[in-house]
Amino acid sequence: MDIDAISAAATVALTSTILFLLVAKSWSALSRNVGSTPSFADSIMHEAAQRFRDELDHLSSSQAIYLSGTLVFLVLFAAAYILKAQNLFAGYPSWQLWLQIGFLTLAAAFAAWRLGRTIMARRHVSFVRDANVAVGHQLQRISIGTNRVFHDIKTSAGVVDHVLVGQTGIYAINVVARRSAKNGEAVLTGHELSFSNNGHAIPIVDVTKSTARLEKEICQLLGHKSRVRSVIAVPGWDIGQQASDRHLLVNERTIAMLRGWKDQSDYLMNDDVDLLQKELTARCSRK
């Protein structure tokens, strides 16, 4: 093995690749932060799973940069090896060349680790995005009359995935995205949501804490008590037992059930509906 040639070629290729990655990352960050406000921002609102769409775009960009960096390294390594780049390091002792090889190996392992994490994160976000889009589109189908649906509503305690507002009440829909097995069943018991395929339980207190904050903010806006009904959507799962009257458990196929989950004490006046919809429209504008 020609250690001189390999070390020299790898050093030249890695140095050039690091410079390429720095330029590509800087350009990507600049593109996201400069001129990111869309045209007609006041009239454009969040789509279903907007924050996951944005995160997926960012991860896709990072994945493309790392893959491009890998290709740049391979091409430059081959070119430097063929062009005998070892002449640039003539006279260097062997221990320094082996030290360079060790450093390059560590750098390559770190780059592979970052690429692997980016690919896995992108796969997960893509699934969560699709789950939220599926629920959001079904909500659009049942938003008739004065009902309107809003997506990615920010509160001081987190984000509510979807909010449906109409004269019959207010519904906060939070999506729990888990990959389902065949005939997998989701069960809501007490303060826990469990799944039949792995027995893993999720505390719904953490899932729906943003709903309680949204209710508080709405009551402050309207000037009177107004209930926000909590709906938990688990796309892809069959719905089993739900021993709770504080939450409604649905999937993307049964979400229309929330139209029957209402009480006259939760009905809103037309003025309240208009005021609340204007507030949520302002929160959802893509400014």
Side-chain angles (χ1 to χ4, degrees), residues 3 10 15 26 35 75 83 93 101 129 139 165 184 189-190 208 214-215 218 227 234 253 276 284:
I3 185 63
T15 302
S26 299
V75 170
L83 296 175
I101 290 294
R129 177 206 58 184
L139 286 170
V165 178
T189 305
T208 61
L214 177 65
E215 180 175 288
I218 287 176
R227 179 182 178 183
V234 284
R253 302 181 303 275
L276 184 53
C284 293

Side-chain angles (χ1 to χ4, degrees), residues 265-284:
S265 61
D266 299 330
Y267 285 14
L268 299 175
M269 301 292 290
N270 289 338
D271 290 344
D272 290 339
V273 173
D274 292 340
L275 179 60
L276 184 53
Q277 290 182 351
K278 287 179 181 178
E279 168 65 19
L280 295 180
T281 297
R283 290 195 191 190
C284 293

Side-chain angles (χ1 to χ4, degrees), residues 39 77 81 92 94 139 155 180 200 205:
S39 301
F77 177 84
Y81 187 84
Y92 278 63
S94 295
L139 286 170
T155 73
S180 62
H200 181 63
V205 172

Side-chain angles (χ1 to χ4, degrees), residues 124 127-128 131 176-181 195 198 200 202 234-237:
H124 172 70
F127 176 76
V128 175
V176 178
R178 292 290 186 277
R179 296 185 183 276
S180 62
F195 300 91
N198 55 17
H200 181 63
I202 298 174
V234 284
W237 293 84

Side-chain angles (χ1 to χ4, degrees), residues 23-274:
V23 172
K25 281 287 190 179
S26 299
W27 178 256
S28 177
L30 184 65
S31 299
R32 289 197 309 270
N33 296 316
V34 177
S36 58
T37 301
S39 301
F40 315 107
D42 293 338
S43 300
I44 298 177
M45 298 176 60
H46 292 165
E47 299 181 37
Q50 186 65 60
R51 69 189 189 280
F52 298 112
R53 295 171 190 259
D54 295 341
E55 185 178 357
L56 186 62
D57 287 343
H58 173 60
L59 290 172
S60 296
S61 176
S62 295
Q63 177 179 288
I65 289 173
Y66 286 126
L67 291 175
S68 299
T70 302
L71 179 60
V72 167
F73 176 83
L74 293 175
V75 170
L76 291 179
F77 177 84
Y81 187 84
I82 293 172
L83 296 175
K84 301 185 183 302
Q86 65 266 29
N87 294 332
L88 297 174
F89 302 91
Y92 278 63
S94 295
W95 70 268
Q96 288 189 358
L97 299 178
W98 279 109
L99 188 63
Q100 286 179 326
I101 290 294
F103 171 75
L104 294 172
T105 301
L106 291 175
F110 176 74
W113 175 74
R114 287 296 301 270
L115 176 59
R117 286 199 53 166
T118 301
I119 292 174
M120 294 299 295
R122 185 183 181 280
R123 181 172 180 267
H124 172 70
V125 172
S126 177
F127 176 76
V128 175
R129 177 206 58 184
D130 290 346
N132 274 269
V133 169
V135 172
H137 284 182
Q138 292 304 313
L139 286 170
Q140 293 285 3
R141 294 180 61 182
I142 64 176
S143 298
I144 57 175
T146 59
N147 292 331
R148 287 189 61 189
V149 61
F150 301 88
H151 310 288
D152 284 1
I153 304 299
K154 292 182 179 179
T155 73
S156 57
V159 179
V160 178
D161 293 322
H162 312 280
V163 175
L164 182 66
V165 178
Q167 290 179 332
T168 57
I170 309 165
Y171 299 86
I173 301 94
N174 286 292
V175 178
V176 178
R178 292 290 186 277
R179 296 185 183 276
S180 62
K182 186 177 181 180
N183 299 323
E185 187 176 76
V187 177
L188 180 60
T189 305
H191 297 289
E192 287 189 339
L193 176 64
S194 58
F195 300 91
S196 60
N197 65 334
N198 55 17
H200 181 63
I202 298 174
I204 60 174
V205 172
D206 295 334
V207 175
T208 61
K209 62 181 180 180
S210 56
T211 300
R213 178 63 62 176
L214 177 65
E215 180 175 288
K216 182 177 180 180
E217 294 175 1
I218 287 176
C219 291
Q220 291 174 346
L221 174 68
L222 299 180
H224 60 79
K225 179 67 176 178
S226 183
R227 179 182 178 183
V228 175
R229 290 181 176 266
S230 174
V231 180
I232 300 175
V234 284
W237 293 84
D238 293 331
I239 304 303
Q241 177 186 359
Q242 44 180 326
S244 174
D245 58 357
R246 298 182 57 189
H247 309 277
L248 176 66
L249 185 64
V250 297
N251 57 32
E252 78 282 9
R253 302 181 303 275
T254 63
I255 198 167
M257 290 173 55
L258 66 82
R259 291 185 297 183
W261 189 40
K262 56 188 177 181
D263 189 280
Q264 287 190 354
S265 61
D266 299 330
Y267 285 14
L268 299 175
M269 301 292 290
N270 289 338
D271 290 344
D272 290 339
V273 173
D274 292 340

